[in-house]
């Protein structure tokens, strides 16, 4: 039942022992072994497993939670593949194992959070996922920006935890329990409970970088190493979306009318403000930060579906988002590691020298914009369908207008690569095999998932186990 968490703990211990037993000149062998073992671990996640409760209901395992963990595992494997070029550099090779240990620690925390059956397990998992992530943001010790990103991440996380704990204390004080099954029986009849829920939602707003809780999110993304930015943008945000959706549907169902109104306001503010800021960006990491915030606004539409269909569209959209966003970050990461360029203007004329990277980036941006026939179109279509089932037609109109605005700034990058002139474009280089495998994996996912109807049907069957 806890197979994923136990295997991850064993894998983390293996990395620790392998690091102690290996001299610095052979650290690359530890990287290769870790990648192979994590690949096998990702495949093992799809093997049949049992459902049920442990520790008196603190830990729950269902087909849906297992499916969510598998989505995060796939994303983690892609991030690890894209990190190899950066890790084998002389300044990073001696601390490569620390990188994997921190990544696995965050993933263990996310798994516990998704399977939590009470707010104690939820909070322990949340902190276990957050604290190593702050260290990852400050991973580059020689960079002032990386140190600044780590400090800002810690401050944001502390503020988020303060909101969460205050909200949870109100909920515990009025219900007398921290167990989800007990809380749902006596929730929804108290002003203090409503206040507790608002504080809880505010704390989760920081984790997902919803407007107006997105303070310093762009600064953290810009200051962190590229691969850490990809991790924060996809895996960290995906885990927070999963647990928020589970708790809204499962624990706070009595306040559905209230949280749908709050999510309505948050969705409009997040999509609109993030899009307006994204238009002004030239640094690609800040650009992707605001793009990521805007995409979070779209995900809220699926959550408002408040049904088995709503849960399915959220997981389906996050799965597509994993392949799409990591395809874009794979290109940014490869170019950054080989040339040091991270601005849109430096991509001028990129198609002339690096056509495959340019085409991959174009495909990823089309998917983020929701242009058919790539998977991002189907993801947004199902989100709009889910929220339409609740009758929020004006919200759909606002979302469509925001999707049109986002198309403008995604096309800015495509225009730079394919149309803008540059006498000295980024010189041709060959990406390493790990990066190429990850990009092939992402491109395949972006093109195939939308057309394979059984993927949505499979996720729909999992959503029924909530």
């Amino acid at each position: 039942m806890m197979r994923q968490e136990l295997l991850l703990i064993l894998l983390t211990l293996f990395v620790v022992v392998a690091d102690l037993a290996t001299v610095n000149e052979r650290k690359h062998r530890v990287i290769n072994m870790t990648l192979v073992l994590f690949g096998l671990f990702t495949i093992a996640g799809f093997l049949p497993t049992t459902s049920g409760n442990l520790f008196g209901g603190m830990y729950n395992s269902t087909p849906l939670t297992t499916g969510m963990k598998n989505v995060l595992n796939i994303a983690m494997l892609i991030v690890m593949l894209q990190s190899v070029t950066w890790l084998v550099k002389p300044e990073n090779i001696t601390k490569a194992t620390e990188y994997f240990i921190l990544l696995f620690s965050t993933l263990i925390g996310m798994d516990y959070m998704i399977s939590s059956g009470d707010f104690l397990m939820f909070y322990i998992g949340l902190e276990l996922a957050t604290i190593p992530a702050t260290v990852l943001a400050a991973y580059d010790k020689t960079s002032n920006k990386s140190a600044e990103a780590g400090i800002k991440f810690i401050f944001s996380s502390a503020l988020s935890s303060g909101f969460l704990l205050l909200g949870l204390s109100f909920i515990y004080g009025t219900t007398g329990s921290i167990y989800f099954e007990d809380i749902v029986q006596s929730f929804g009849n108290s002003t203090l409970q409503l206040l507790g829920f608002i504080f809880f939602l505010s704390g989760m707003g920081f984790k997902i970088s919803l407007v107006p809780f997105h303070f310093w999110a762009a600064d953290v993304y810009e200051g962190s190493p590229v691969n850490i930015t990809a991790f924060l943008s996809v895996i960290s945000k995906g885990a927070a979306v999963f647990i928020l959706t589970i708790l809204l549907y499962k624990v706070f169902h009595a306040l559905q009318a209230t949280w749908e109104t709050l999510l309505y306001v948050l969705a409009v503010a997040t999509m609109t403000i993030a899009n307006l800021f994204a238009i002004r960006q030239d640094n690609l990491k800040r650009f992707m930060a605001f793009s990521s915030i805007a995409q979070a606004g779209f995900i809220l539409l699926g959550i408002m579906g408040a049904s088995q269909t709503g849960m399915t569209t959220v997981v389906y959209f996050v799965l597509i988002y994993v392949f799409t966003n990591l395809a874009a970050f794979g290109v940014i990461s490869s170019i950054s590691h080989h040339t040091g360029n991270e601005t849109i203007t430096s991509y001028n004329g990129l198609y002339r020298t690096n056509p495959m990277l340019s085409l991959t980036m174009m495909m990823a941006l089309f998917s983020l914009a929701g242009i058919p026939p790539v998977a991002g179109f189907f993801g947004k279509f199902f989100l709009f369908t889910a929220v339409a089932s609740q009758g929020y037609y004006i919200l759909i109109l606002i979302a469509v207008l925001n999707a049109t605005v986002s198309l403008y700034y995604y096309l800015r990058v495509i225009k730079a690569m394919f149309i803008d002139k540059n006498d000295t474009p980024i010189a041709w280089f060959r990406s390493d095999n790990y990066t190429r495998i990850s990009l092939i994996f992402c491109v395949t996912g972006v093109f195939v998932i939308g057309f394979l109807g059984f993927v949505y049907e499979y996720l729909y069957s999992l959503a029924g186990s909530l």
Side-chain angles (χ1 to χ4, degrees):
M1 193 180 301
M2 293 181 67
R3 183 177 64 200
Q4 301 227 20
E5 291 84 350
L6 293 175
L7 287 176
L8 267 176
I9 292 170
L10 288 176
L11 186 53
T12 306
L13 292 174
F14 164 80
V15 174
V16 172
V17 173
D19 180 56
L20 293 173
T22 308
V23 296
N24 289 340
E25 291 75 17
R26 296 180 179 175
K27 292 288 185 187
H28 63 279
R29 294 184 179 179
V30 179
I31 295 174
N32 294 334
M33 283 191 293
T34 306
L35 284 170
V36 171
L37 290 175
F38 193 84
L40 295 174
F41 163 75
T42 303
I43 295 170
F46 290 92
L47 298 176
T49 184
T50 56
S51 301
N53 302 320
L54 288 174
F55 312 120
M58 287 183 70
Y59 179 93
N60 292 323
S61 177
T62 66
L64 177 63
T65 59
T66 303
M68 289 175 170
K69 292 172 189 176
N70 286 335
V71 172
L72 298 182
N73 292 341
I74 292 170
M76 183 68 86
L77 180 61
I78 296 173
V79 169
M80 289 169 62
L81 287 169
Q82 293 177 353
S83 302
V84 174
T85 305
W86 172 63
L87 287 175
V88 297
K89 289 184 175 180
E91 64 270 25
N92 294 324
I93 189 67
T94 57
K95 52 182 182 177
T97 48
E98 286 94 326
Y99 175 73
F100 289 128
I101 292 168
L102 290 168
L103 282 183
F104 295 159
S105 299
T106 60
L107 194 56
I108 293 169
M110 291 171 190
D111 285 353
Y112 279 126
M113 189 169 62
I114 290 171
S115 284
S116 56
D118 70 1
F119 278 117
L120 180 60
M121 179 67 83
F122 160 77
Y123 189 73
I124 291 172
L126 185 68
E127 290 305 301
L128 182 57
T130 302
I131 295 172
T134 61
V135 180
L136 287 169
Y139 193 79
D140 188 354
K141 293 186 292 187
T142 60
S143 167
N144 290 334
K145 278 196 169 184
S146 184
E148 179 186 342
I151 292 170
K152 287 183 174 178
F153 198 169
I154 289 173
F155 283 153
S156 298
S157 299
L159 192 57
S160 166
S161 292
F163 277 103
L164 274 171
L165 287 177
L166 184 59
L168 296 182
S169 65
F170 286 169
I171 293 170
Y172 173 70
T174 54
T175 62
S177 177
I178 58 172
Y179 286 87
F180 296 163
E181 290 186 358
D182 296 336
I183 291 172
V184 75
Q185 301 296 328
S186 56
F187 197 82
N189 299 316
S190 163
T191 304
L192 202 57
Q193 288 177 351
L194 176 60
L195 191 60
F197 170 74
I198 291 173
F199 278 119
F200 167 81
L201 186 62
S202 301
M204 292 305 296
F206 282 98
K207 299 298 180 187
I208 308 176
S209 300
L210 300 175
V211 174
F213 310 106
H214 64 297
F215 309 130
W216 293 335
D219 293 341
V220 172
Y221 279 37
E222 183 183 6
S224 303
V226 180
N227 302 107
I228 307 302
T229 306
F231 165 81
L232 295 173
S233 170
V234 176
I235 303 173
S236 183
K237 183 164 292 188
V241 166
F242 285 155
I243 187 61
L244 175 63
T245 311
I246 290 174
L247 293 178
L248 289 179
Y249 286 17
K250 192 174 179 179
V251 182
F252 300 116
H253 182 70
L255 294 177
Q256 182 177 340
T258 303
W259 59 253
E260 280 191 354
T261 304
L262 292 172
L263 292 187
Y264 191 118
V265 176
L266 289 172
V268 172
T270 302
M271 288 185 292
T272 306
I273 294 177
N275 276 337
L276 293 177
F277 275 94
I279 292 172
R280 303 175 52 192
Q281 305 305 316
D282 187 49
N283 181 283
L284 275 162
K285 286 196 287 187
R286 290 186 72 86
F287 172 85
M288 292 301 292
F290 285 108
S291 162
S292 171
I293 294 170
Q295 295 292 335
F298 285 106
I299 293 175
L300 294 185
L301 272 62
I303 297 176
M304 292 173 65
S307 62
Q308 187 174 350
T309 303
M311 175 61 81
T312 307
T313 56
V314 170
V315 180
Y316 184 71
F317 189 84
V318 171
L319 177 63
I320 292 171
Y321 183 68
V322 163
F323 289 111
T324 301
N325 231 35
L326 290 180
F329 270 110
V331 174
I332 296 170
S333 165
S334 186
I335 292 175
S336 175
H337 293 152
H338 285 89
T339 69
N341 291 306
E342 293 181 353
T343 61
I344 295 175
T345 50
S346 67
Y347 280 33
N348 288 353
L350 182 68
Y351 179 71
R352 290 168 51 197
T353 53
N354 292 274
M356 294 307 294
L357 288 178
S358 303
L359 289 170
T360 302
M361 185 62 135
M362 181 183 71
M363 180 274 308
L365 295 177
F366 276 169
S367 186
L368 284 170
I371 295 176
V374 287
F377 165 76
F378 297 99
K380 281 197 170 65
F381 173 78
F382 286 125
L383 287 178
F384 293 167
T385 302
V387 76
S389 67
Q390 302 296 308
Y392 292 109
Y393 300 113
I394 296 177
L395 180 58
I396 295 175
L397 176 62
I398 295 171
V400 170
L401 290 175
N402 272 288
T404 307
V405 173
S406 71
L407 179 60
Y408 165 75
Y409 59 75
Y410 289 131
L411 287 176
R412 279 183 58 214
V413 183
I414 296 170
K415 174 175 172 287
M417 293 187 297
F418 290 87
I419 298 176
D420 289 347
K421 303 290 184 184
N422 190 349
D423 294 332
T424 56
I426 293 172
W428 179 86
F429 64 88
R430 182 182 177 84
S431 302
D432 67 280
N433 290 332
Y434 294 104
T435 301
R436 296 170 74 183
I437 291 171
S438 76
L439 291 178
I440 291 171
F441 197 32
C442 290
V443 170
T444 304
V446 169
F447 272 110
V448 170
I449 288 179
F451 291 101
L452 294 180
F454 74 83
V455 175
Y456 185 87
E457 297 298 329
Y458 172 68
L459 294 175
Y460 187 81
S461 67
L462 295 184
S465 66
L466 175 65

